[in-house]
Amino acid sequence: MGAMRTDKTCCIEFSACHIKVASDRENLSFRVFHGMRMNATALPYEPFWITSGEGDNTTHFGMDYNQLMYLARALNFTVHILPSRNWDEVTDQVEARQSFVASIVYPFVPILLETWDFTYSIDQDVMGFAMAKPVLKPSWLSFYYPLGNQVWAGVFTSTLAICLTMVWITRTEVWRSKHGRLSSGSVVVEMVGSFLGQGLFDGHSSSRSNYILVGSWLMFGLVVGTAYRGSLIASLNLPRLPPRPQTAEELIKAVERITFESYGSFFKEPFLDSETEILQELGRLMYLGVSTVDGLRDSFVMRQAHINAQTYLKFIIAQNFTSADGSRSVYIGRERIMPVANAWPLPHDAPYKPLFDKYILAIREAGLYMQWEKETLAEVAHVSRTTQQNQQRIQEQEQLSEGPDKDGGSGRQISLTMKHLQGPLSLPLLGFIIACLAFGMEKCVVPSTWFSPNPCRWMI
């Protein structure tokens, strides 16, 4: 022990790194606590403080737990976690000086300084929002997306110009069929049909210029049709997803409400009193008392988002909203709503606060807290992904034991759904409805045409 006291430096091992702290007159780590048992309070708050097991088998781990254990090692004390039923008891025991520290991150809000003190800032986090990724919904306009607005306008203009030209040619009695001169409607049907790849009506032209006109029209239809089919295949493989709100301004326009944890009252009032219209609107849309998991799950069926610290949002998304292939159904907005400094609550005028601040600063400068965050998030994502892969493997084995699917496949093939083919299927239905309405109106206006003895008149 004497050799240890005469040594000028002592090395404290933090994880894989070594933080060297000068053991001079100001270093009272071996004098202050003397191996005493220090009471602390905390509740599970992932990934900062994670608890598993019950009773004597209870184990703790997480970013804040790691930091508390290394502080105990550096300052020579043992830790005893006092039981707490809720978050109010966690801080009430600190205020009553029954607990030396609440070893869980709290947002550094000035109004809380009236109740207790804070350690040095452990981490600089930011408040962000998260919500479900917008999905591609079935739309009858799916046939329209492969081409742009200008291309569709050019196709419509070209079709109209060709139809008018051919109608004018018909009026000059150059184009005739075996039933006589083609009507204007027949010419339009002929041109549109040839553009869609249908065979020519039984008509003939007596002018070579008409052959050139029809040939150029068929070439135009071939080029546009090939481009359309290629763009259609590309849009089916890489669909155009709806836009995602990335900023607070886009968020307030896209959602009906914003959920927050119960402690969001510390932020709602400042938002409502802010001079910025965007923050005022965020405060009006806030709905408090909703857990992060419930808020994000509700965003799949409602137009809402959830606000919380980005570190906590990343953990919840990695744990609950990560699929077996690593993709995530929830995203975090790009814009930071506001920065937040996190620290541990301490009793007022605690004599050990300077020592806590010194070692917390050393941990932060060494980058250990950020490293613990990365390792925890990676481990949680790996466990979630592995669990889902095992469940998927079990389901596939059960399907194989029961036999192949009804269609003879193994169930892995991805079929086209209504979101791909609703547009093409809607067009024939729309045409059938329009044809029925046209026939019904014709029957009401000219009922004798239904019983005409001359069937050829319908083809003129």
Side-chain angles (χ1 to χ4, degrees):
M1 188 67 180
M4 181 181 298
R5 297 292 293 270
T6 57
D7 192 4
K8 296 299 182 180
T9 59
C10 60
C11 296
I12 302 171
E13 181 180 2
F14 291 96
S15 184
C17 302
H18 295 273
I19 299 180
K20 294 185 178 180
V21 181
S23 178
D24 49 16
R25 295 179 180 178
E26 296 180 358
N27 185 7
L28 305 177
S29 59
F30 292 96
R31 302 178 186 176
V32 174
F33 295 101
H34 298 283
M36 66 175 292
R37 190 175 75 164
M38 177 177 175
N39 294 331
T41 51
L43 282 179
Y45 186 63
E46 302 164 338
F48 304 96
W49 190 283
I50 306 174
T51 302
S52 62
E54 296 180 356
D56 297 336
N57 297 325
T58 302
T59 58
H60 307 282
F61 56 96
M63 298 150 54
D64 282 9
Y65 176 78
N66 292 341
Q67 181 167 264
L68 179 62
M69 291 299 102
Y70 284 121
L71 286 176
R73 184 175 179 179
L75 299 177
N76 192 23
F77 64 85
T78 59
V79 180
H80 173 65
I81 304 300
L82 296 177
S84 302
R85 290 174 295 182
N86 50 51
W87 288 105
D88 292 335
E89 286 192 4
V90 171
T91 53
D92 289 344
Q93 295 184 75
V94 174
E95 185 179 1
R97 297 183 181 272
Q98 298 175 359
S99 171
F100 284 81
V101 62
S103 54
I104 195 72
V105 289
Y106 269 74
F108 189 90
V109 182
I111 193 175
L112 297 178
L113 291 174
E114 300 176 0
T115 309
W116 57 77
D117 203 351
F118 282 99
T119 63
Y120 188 85
S121 177
I122 297 174
D123 185 26
Q124 294 290 338
D125 209 341
V126 292
M127 284 291 174
F129 67 90
M131 59 187 302
K133 292 182 179 179
V135 296
L136 185 64
K137 297 181 179 180
S139 175
W140 65 275
L141 290 176
S142 59
F143 72 96
Y144 176 81
Y145 294 140
L147 300 180
N149 297 332
Q150 297 179 352
V151 178
W152 282 115
V155 170
F156 177 77
T157 303
S158 302
T159 304
L160 182 62
I162 290 294
C163 291
L164 293 177
T165 304
M166 297 307 298
V167 167
W168 176 77
I169 293 176
T170 301
R171 294 303 180 187
T172 59
E173 300 185 359
V174 177
W175 187 309
R176 289 180 176 274
S177 68
K178 63 181 180 181
H179 303 295
R181 189 179 66 180
L182 293 175
S183 63
S184 300
S186 299
V187 172
V188 174
V189 172
E190 176 74 14
M191 293 296 100
V192 176
S194 61
F195 176 72
L196 297 177
Q198 304 298 321
L200 292 174
F201 191 70
D202 199 11
H204 301 280
S205 174
S206 59
S207 175
R208 294 182 178 180
S209 60
N210 291 329
Y211 287 112
I212 299 175
L213 178 61
V214 174
S216 61
W217 174 244
L218 293 178
M219 180 60 67
F220 173 80
L222 176 64
V223 173
V224 174
T226 303
Y228 177 81
R229 286 191 294 271
S231 300
L232 179 61
I233 295 173
S235 63
L236 292 178
N237 288 281
L238 298 173
R240 181 186 303 174
L241 296 176
R244 302 179 183 179
Q246 296 289 353
T247 62
E249 184 177 1
E250 296 174 352
L251 178 66
I252 60 179
K253 296 178 181 179
V255 299
E256 297 177 352
R257 72 171 188 170
I258 301 173
T259 57
F260 212 136
E261 299 274 0
S262 57
Y263 70 90
S265 57
F266 297 125
F267 302 96
K268 183 173 182 177
E269 295 299 330
F271 281 0
L272 293 175
D273 297 337
S274 174
E275 299 179 356
T276 307
E277 296 182 358
I278 297 178
L279 294 180
Q280 293 178 1
E281 187 64 22
L282 285 176
R284 285 191 290 267
L285 293 176
M286 277 189 184
Y287 186 81
L288 305 180
V290 181
S291 65
T292 303
V293 177
D294 294 338
L296 293 179
R297 286 177 178 171
D298 292 341
S299 66
F300 287 93
V301 295
M302 300 175 60
R303 294 174 54 193
Q304 74 173 36
H306 187 85
I307 292 182
N308 210 322
Q310 284 194 356
T311 302
Y312 186 63
L313 289 175
K314 292 177 182 178
F315 177 85
I316 294 298
I317 293 174
Q319 186 181 47
N320 300 276
F321 300 96
T322 301
S323 60
D325 58 355
S327 61
R328 298 176 179 179
S329 56
V330 177
Y331 78 100
I332 299 178
R334 182 176 62 251
E335 186 179 34
R336 301 176 177 181
I337 296 180
M338 62 176 299
V340 177
N342 295 324
W344 285 353
L346 291 173
H348 277 298
D349 301 324
Y352 49 87
K353 181 181 182 303
L355 284 175
F356 269 46
D357 293 343
K358 181 178 182 179
Y359 284 93
I360 288 175
L361 176 60
I363 293 174
R364 179 176 175 180
E365 289 181 344
L368 290 178
Y369 200 82
M370 298 176 60
Q371 181 63 26
W372 293 333
E373 176 185 345
K374 294 179 181 178
E375 293 176 355
T376 305
L377 293 177
E379 179 65 21
V380 170
H382 174 71
V383 171
S384 177
R385 187 166 57 251
T386 303
T387 303
Q388 296 191 36
Q389 289 176 354
N390 294 335
Q391 294 177 354
Q392 184 177 1
R393 191 178 300 109
I394 294 174
Q395 293 178 358
E396 292 178 356
Q397 292 177 356
E398 292 177 354
Q399 292 178 358
L400 291 176
S401 61
E402 294 175 358
D405 298 338
K406 294 182 179 180
D407 57 355
S410 61
R412 296 183 179 180
Q413 291 81 3
I414 300 178
S415 304
L416 293 177
T417 60
M418 285 299 295
K419 71 180 181 182
H420 299 126
L421 297 179
Q422 184 171 357
L425 293 178
S426 300
L427 285 178
L429 179 61
L430 180 63
F432 178 76
I433 294 175
I434 294 176
C436 292
L437 293 176
F439 278 116
M441 293 177 61
E442 186 176 357
K443 181 178 179 181
C444 295
V445 176
V446 189
S448 60
T449 57
W450 286 83
F451 306 99
S452 176
N454 185 13
C456 295
R457 62 177 301 180
W458 295 96
M459 304 178 63
I460 300 177

